[in-house]
Amino acid sequence: MWTLLSDIPVGIDKGRILSALRIPDDEGDDSYAALAGVMEAALGLARPKAIYRVVDDIRLADEGAVIGGIAFRSKVMAVNLKGAGKVIPYAITCGKELDAWSSRIKDPYETFLADNVKEHILYGAIAHTMRTVEDAEGVANVRTLNPGSTVDWHLSEQARLFELI
């Protein structure tokens, strides 16, 4: 059984995004004004969502693991799952509303700003989801691993991960 999180709070740490983009905290600056406009529009539209499920059917092997009946090939995963009683696969999105809005932006600089704003909203949704999972499922020390993030877990296995979710 999966759990859907659809009431994820939306916010952006203005100082963090200004710093990340190296934009001065000066309302008179053109870049600041452009970012402020993009942030305002994005915050009004963003509807981040997450889905996860708890899987306690885990079998480890030297070459990977079988989780919920689906085989994954990654020695790193197998090592990280040693002693784990459960796996909690998840997917998180900043929301189709935000993606649809940003795909209509024609100006390259505003597109760049919108992509960064979406990324910051997504980071907030990830943090919220991790806290929710830790609280709801009674887990601590959550470790994350995703296809393509290690030398031996190829991005092509992402489809299997979605199968599992």
Side-chain angles (χ1 to χ4, degrees), residues 8 42 78 81-82 85 94 110:
I8 297 174
L81 290 177
K82 272 192 179 146
C94 62
E110 283 188 26

Side-chain angles (χ1 to χ4, degrees), residues 8 11 18-19 28 33 49 53 57 64 80 83 86 91 94-96 102 111 113 128 130 141 144 147 150 154 164:
I8 297 174
L18 287 171
S19 175
K49 295 168 191 66
R53 73 180 268 221
D57 174 17
N80 284 344
K86 56 187 162 186
C94 62
K96 65 182 181 181
S102 68
T111 298
L113 294 176
H128 174 81
M130 293 298 104
N141 300 325
T144 60
T150 69
H154 299 282
L164 181 60

Side-chain angles (χ1 to χ4, degrees), residues 55-103:
V55 180
D56 55 11
D57 174 17
I58 307 166
R59 288 174 280 140
L60 302 180
D62 290 338
E63 298 297 316
V66 177
I67 304 168
I70 299 172
F72 295 96
R73 289 193 338 225
S74 168
K75 292 177 184 179
V76 173
M77 176 194 289
V79 168
N80 284 344
L81 290 177
K82 272 192 179 146
K86 56 187 162 186
V87 172
I88 305 172
Y90 63 88
I92 305 171
T93 176
C94 62
K96 65 182 181 181
E97 302 83 0
L98 206 52
D99 196 53
W101 162 77
S102 68
S103 71

